[in-house]
Amino acid sequence: MKIKNNNYEIEINLLDDKPKEDINCFLDPDGMIDSDYIKYVYIKYKKHKNYFYKIRCIICDAHLLGDRFFVLNDNILTLMLNFTILKFDLNLNEIILVKDVDTVACNYELYNIGEDYLIVGEFEITRLDNSFNMIWQWSGHDIFDSVKVDFKKKLIYITEFMNSKSYSITFDGKE
C-alpha cells in the first residue's frame, strides 16, 4: 500500500517472511518474535525531496490489518497491529508510543476523529484518546457483518452477522 501527505511518501507492506534487505531495526512491540504466527509490517518512506528511503520493519501478530490499519498525520504514522497500537515518528525514525488495547477478538480498522482514534473490531468499537487511553467501548451481541463510519453525521452504523440487527452509535459511544 502506498500513501503520501505533504511531507512523506510511504510504502507499507505486510510480509510473511523477513524482508531480504539487511534491516537492523526490527521492532517487536508484542514480544512475538518467537511465535509461529508472526507477520512483518515493512515500512519504507522518504521525505518528498529526499533521494533515499528509511526503512523500518515491525514484527506483529498475524491476525491484523484490514483495509484501514494506519493513520498518517504530518510526520506521525499511527499503526493498529491488532491488539497493539503504536505511533511512529517518521522524522525520528522511531516508535514514540506503544500500547496494548483491551478489546475482544481482532481489530480491523483505525480512524482518526479529531485528536482521537476509533478502532473497529469483530465485536467492538473502541474510541481512544491521543495517548491511547480508552474513552469508551461499545459491544454488540454478535460478530459485526458491516460497519460504516459517517464522518458528516458523526455516526457509526453497525449490522450484526447472525441476527442482522442494526445499530447506530454516535462518536460519543451512545446508541
Side-chain angles (χ1 to χ4, degrees):
M1 174 171 294
K2 292 183 180 183
I3 56 172
K4 60 180 165 177
N5 64 11
N6 293 335
N7 298 316
Y8 287 95
E9 295 175 25
I10 303 170
E11 183 177 331
I12 303 173
N13 292 298
L14 181 63
L15 308 173
D16 289 324
D17 299 311
K18 183 177 175 178
K20 293 182 178 23
E21 294 181 58
D22 184 24
I23 309 168
N24 294 318
C25 54
F26 280 89
L27 307 168
D28 187 13
D30 282 333
M32 299 289 300
I33 196 145
D34 295 323
S35 171
D36 291 334
Y37 303 102
I38 62 172
K39 295 282 186 177
Y40 298 88
V41 179
Y42 180 69
I43 305 167
K44 183 177 177 181
Y45 65 97
K46 70 176 182 174
K47 284 196 171 186
H48 281 300
K49 295 180 181 169
N50 286 358
Y51 295 103
F52 66 94
Y53 282 92
K54 292 182 182 178
I55 299 170
R56 276 288 189 200
C57 193
I58 301 169
I59 300 170
C60 59
D61 187 331
H63 306 291
L64 76 140
L65 306 182
D67 296 335
R68 297 199 37 86
F69 61 92
F70 63 88
V71 170
L72 177 61
N73 287 324
D74 299 319
N75 63 304
I76 303 297
L77 179 65
T78 304
L79 295 163
M80 178 193 58
L81 307 175
N82 199 11
F83 299 113
T84 300
I85 187 167
L86 61 89
K87 284 187 185 183
F88 185 77
D89 188 315
L90 298 167
N91 288 341
L92 299 174
N93 194 32
E94 65 183 49
I95 292 176
I96 57 172
L97 180 61
V98 178
K99 192 163 188 181
D100 287 333
V101 181
D102 185 18
T103 58
V104 174
C106 296
N107 297 310
Y108 294 108
E109 297 178 356
L110 177 69
Y111 295 95
N112 192 225
I113 301 176
E115 295 292 313
D116 298 338
Y117 296 95
L118 186 71
I119 295 175
V120 175
E122 280 184 289
F123 288 98
E124 294 178 322
I125 307 291
T126 305
R127 187 166 176 176
L128 305 175
D129 68 14
N130 200 34
S131 298
F132 304 149
N133 298 307
M134 191 176 303
I135 297 172
W136 58 261
Q137 197 165 46
W138 185 90
S139 298
H141 296 92
D142 191 9
I143 295 172
F144 298 155
D145 183 42
S146 69
V147 177
K148 181 182 176 214
V149 180
D150 187 331
F151 288 95
K152 288 182 182 179
K153 294 181 180 178
K154 297 184 179 183
L155 287 172
I156 305 158
Y157 300 102
I158 302 158
T159 303
E160 293 180 334
F161 179 67
M162 292 295 282
N163 61 20
S164 299
K165 189 169 182 177
S166 295
Y167 306 91
S168 61
I169 58 173
T170 67
F171 283 6
D172 293 327
K174 309 282 189 234
E175 263 189 70

